[in-house]
Amino acid sequence: MSQTKAVGKDIEVYTSFDSFYPFYLKEHSNRTNRRLHLIGTFIGQFFAIYFLLTGQFIKIPLAFIPGYFFAWIGHFVFQKNKPATFKYPFFSLMGDFKMFYQVLTGKIAF
């Protein structure tokens, strides 16, 4: 069973994270873009954990701001493409965390 659907000429719709992730990595092939994503993800995770541990639950959504800020600079300025977040927000967030883990474990170069 295919995990993508052809919608039009050379356009695919991803229906699973496993089929989406290779596309995600291609969209983050520029090293500066990838580094900016990792910095934003780290800062965002730090603030999310901080707000959680200090009981500032109302502020947890603010933790997404640094992640998107750094990621969008990476995409628009360095990779010169449109972030997949606009079309695949949940898969993109999962991709950020998986790429972050793979860099920390040495599977992907920083």
Side-chain angles (χ1 to χ4, degrees), residues 24-100:
Y24 176 90
L25 290 177
K26 186 181 80 169
E27 296 293 297
H28 298 85
S29 59
N30 177 280
R31 192 172 209 167
T32 302
N33 181 29
R34 195 167 53 247
R35 287 177 175 174
L36 287 168
H37 272 70
L38 296 171
I39 291 166
T41 299
F42 177 79
I43 294 169
Q45 288 178 353
F46 172 82
F47 279 114
I49 292 167
Y50 174 78
F51 293 145
L52 185 66
L53 293 176
T54 59
Q56 300 179 60
F57 305 115
I58 194 84
K59 292 184 181 179
I60 290 174
L62 296 175
F64 286 95
I65 293 171
Y68 285 121
F69 175 76
F70 283 96
W72 290 358
I73 289 174
H75 280 290
F76 292 123
V77 177
F78 297 99
Q79 187 85 41
K80 307 229 187 284
N81 64 5
K82 185 177 175 184
T85 301
F86 297 128
K87 191 167 183 180
Y88 300 100
F90 187 64
F91 285 166
S92 293
L93 182 61
M94 290 172 59
D96 287 344
F97 288 128
K98 183 171 182 174
M99 184 173 67
F100 188 84

